[in-house]
Amino acid sequence: MVQILTASEAKKSILKNTFVIDSTEELELKNGLSRVCAKTIIYPIDVPSYTNSAMDGYAINVDNARKRQTSASLWNRAPEKIKIIGKATAGHPYYGDFNEDAAIQIMTGAIVPAGYDTVVINEDVTVSNGNLNIKEFPKKGGNIREAGEDLRKGEVCISKHKTLTAADLGLLASVGISKISVFKKPKVAIFSTGDEIKNPNESLSVGQIYDSNRFSLAGMLQKIGMDIIDLGIIPDNPIMLKKILGNASSSSDALITTGGVSVGERDYMKTVLNEIGKILFWKIKIKPGRPFTFGSIDKSMYFGLPGNPVSSMVTFSQFVMPSLIKLSGAQPQETFFLPAKAAGEIRKIKGRTEYQRGIYEKKENGSYWVKPAEDQGSGILNSMSRANCIIHLTDELSNVKKGESVLIEPFMANKVLN
Ligand code: AMP
Ligand code: MG
């Protein structure tokens, strides 16, 4: 007997029944952004691979240089000169002889010639007639980056299951890696169901509406890097639904449909799933999105989302996304919550989790305040578009009073660093 699960039970059950994709592919590094690393990558070289200057200045042997300048003042003689005998720039090493009493002009990134242990920066010297006068001595080893100081050959560079960021691509390039092994993108087939649903480029007859779910869904799937198989709109016809689902299950890792999962006369998804697959559960104690079906057809997972546009977006973001992320081979992501104060009373019924669309803002004193978007109807997509967070109201909560703290899940995140 299928019972009604709580939100956290449903999440757990879905994740427990989610496998991890096993097929991998090799990619050019430049195409690797947001892909999931399929093999742990080890540093093939030390970084930096040679000892180099961190600043523009002069490479010296600090003890000798100090002796030459200070002995002169001690004995009241003219200081012994520190001659500048050569130059090293990035990519153009100094190949001349070593002289521990002399200096080499050196630029940032250039190899520090053997025998020199310190770089004194331009700002701390004066130069006259090709000789160096040091006003301020750095400590020994100053302004030098030692070979292997940042990264050591043989250590872990990127772990298997890490989703590659822009920084990771740069890091891999910096150690000479140009090809990477990643998990293949999961194939996710989607379609909308409903006799009344039409494509936005069609004209509407009486009682018909435009399909918004497939567009929101495709947008969310794109954001998490899925390979989308768009199967369009399928009418409320069990024979057709069975055929399409059966075919799609053999060519996809997950199937997502919207609509037809309630208990209406023309809600066929559960019946169809019972015949050609397996249902694990079909209701969650949540609002919006209570009629949510999870199961499988063949080796493909099945998510039956409710038809109401907000319900389908909310249930996707809370229950389907974590599963698809696991499927893709990536590390699970904890939901990012921010505590915020309720700007007014928030109505909530105890015994279910509510995901309300919210609008939060930061006040001058640094605290965050949130109010529910005006219309919380599960068909009102424009309040989802205006919202900037989901207010998470867990099972045990009832009405929240003005000024009480709630947890919000902000929509924004750093768009480039993640
Ligand atoms: P259902 O879950 O099929 O009973 O649908 C619930 C409500 O959502 C009904 O008012 C449907 O017309 C509407 N609906 C279903 N599918 C879509 C869709 N793809 N786009 C927009 N609204 C939809
Ligand atoms: Mg329907």
Side-chain angles (χ1 to χ4, degrees):
M1 183 60 206
V2 186
Q3 82 230 49
I4 310 186
L5 304 186
T6 64
S8 65
E9 286 168 346
K11 248 180 231 181
K12 264 191 218 134
S13 164
I14 292 173
L15 284 177
K16 206 177 102 198
N17 288 285
T18 301
F19 61 92
V20 174
I21 200 158
D22 54 10
S23 40
T24 63
E25 62 186 323
E26 182 140 303
L27 287 186
E28 292 290 333
L29 178 64
K30 64 174 189 234
N31 298 325
L33 187 67
S34 301
R35 299 300 298 270
V36 183
C37 192
K39 267 188 213 143
T40 293
I41 303 171
I42 302 296
Y43 286 116
I45 56 170
D46 282 340
V47 175
S49 54
Y50 50 85
T51 299
N52 67 86
S53 180
M55 300 291 279
D56 293 332
Y58 294 85
I60 52 172
N61 181 302
V62 77
D63 293 337
N64 286 28
R66 194 191 300 273
K67 232 183 282 165
R68 289 178 85 78
Q69 276 197 208
T70 51
S71 63
S73 61
L74 267 172
W75 301 106
N76 212 11
R77 287 198 317 246
E80 289 181 66
K81 288 180 177 141
I82 304 168
K83 201 163 177 251
I84 302 162
I85 57 167
K87 191 192 275 190
T89 63
H92 302 282
Y94 169 73
Y95 290 115
D97 294 336
F98 168 60
N99 177 345
E100 62 184 7
D101 292 325
I104 307 288
Q105 191 185 3
I106 193 161
M107 310 300 153
T108 307
I111 297 182
V112 176
Y116 297 98
D117 54 27
T118 304
V119 168
V120 51
I121 62 175
N122 281 340
E123 291 81 344
D124 290 341
V125 301
T126 53
V127 175
S128 64
N129 298 329
N131 294 313
L132 194 65
N133 178 51
I134 300 172
K135 294 184 286 181
E136 176 94 26
F137 277 90
K139 65 176 185 342
K140 195 170 187 162
N143 305 312
I144 283 184
R145 298 185 284 221
E146 294 290 339
E149 172 181 297
D150 295 346
L151 314 164
R152 285 245 168 245
K153 182 176 172 176
E155 285 178 0
V156 172
C157 173
I158 304 279
S159 301
K160 183 177 175 179
H161 300 299
K162 180 162 200 273
T163 303
L164 296 171
T165 62
D168 294 333
L169 300 187
L171 180 65
L172 290 165
S174 78
V175 293
I177 291 173
S178 64
K179 291 213 164 65
I180 45 171
S181 167
V182 297
F183 288 104
K184 279 198 174 154
K185 290 183 178 184
K187 289 195 181 71
V188 182
I190 59 172
F191 63 84
S192 299
T193 72
D195 289 343
E196 78 283 28
I197 311 294
K198 292 282 156 199
N199 271 310
N201 60 356
E202 293 172 310
S203 52
L204 294 183
S205 305
V206 182
Q208 296 183 329
I209 59 165
Y210 287 122
D211 182 1
S212 60
N213 289 347
R214 214 157 28 95
F215 294 85
S216 305
L217 207 51
M220 293 187 290
L221 288 164
Q222 262 176 48
K223 283 216 161 183
I224 53 167
M226 298 292 129
D227 208 346
I228 304 166
I229 305 169
D230 185 348
L231 300 174
I233 301 165
I234 313 296
D236 295 314
N237 173 328
I239 295 164
M240 281 181 78
L241 289 168
K242 237 183 277 182
K243 191 164 155 233
I244 304 280
L245 277 176
N247 287 342
S249 66
S250 58
S251 56
S252 62
D253 302 299
L255 299 156
I256 307 176
T257 65
T258 68
V261 287
S262 320
V263 288
E265 203 179 277
R266 297 183 72 81
D267 289 332
Y268 294 116
M269 298 315 294
K270 286 203 302 284
T271 333
V272 166
L273 198 64
N274 258 331
E275 285 178 33
I276 62 167
K278 203 169 80 183
I279 297 184
L280 267 98
F281 61 85
W282 53 278
K283 263 185 191 170
I284 316 177
K285 285 182 202 158
I286 55 171
K287 189 189 177 200
R290 185 174 140 101
F292 172 100
T293 304
F294 175 60
S296 60
I297 303 172
D298 261 340
K299 291 201 179 76
S300 187
M301 287 190 290
Y302 172 78
F303 301 94
L305 311 188
N308 273 313
V310 176
S311 310
S312 67
M313 284 196 79
V314 166
T315 51
F316 178 90
S317 74
Q318 301 302 319
F319 299 95
V320 186
M321 182 186 73
S323 164
L324 295 183
I325 285 182
K326 178 176 175 189
L327 172 67
S328 73
Q331 284 148 346
Q333 278 172 353
E334 284 287 314
T335 309
F336 176 74
F337 288 121
L338 198 66
K341 293 201 169 73
E345 193 197 29
I346 304 176
R347 301 189 64 78
K348 154 77 170 61
I349 290 173
K350 207 172 173 170
R352 67 184 186 196
T353 294
E354 292 189 16
Y355 305 97
Q356 297 199 12
R357 281 143 278 169
I359 298 168
Y360 75 93
E361 57 182 40
K362 193 175 180 179
K363 299 286 183 196
E364 265 168 26
N365 67 2
S367 63
Y368 290 94
W369 288 77
V370 65
K371 61 173 196 289
E374 260 136 48
D375 206 327
Q376 293 288 328
S378 55
I380 317 284
L381 199 48
N382 97 72
S383 55
M384 191 71 173
S385 162
R386 281 185 295 109
N388 60 7
C389 69
I390 294 279
I391 310 170
H392 282 246
L393 302 164
T394 44
D395 298 6
E396 71 287 354
L397 287 176
S398 45
N399 290 346
V400 177
K401 292 195 195 73
K402 181 177 175 177
E404 281 182 352
S405 189
V406 288
L407 289 180
I408 62 170
E409 182 186 4
F411 293 169
M412 66 89 198
N414 189 307
K415 286 190 166 52
V416 292
L417 293 179
N418 194 2

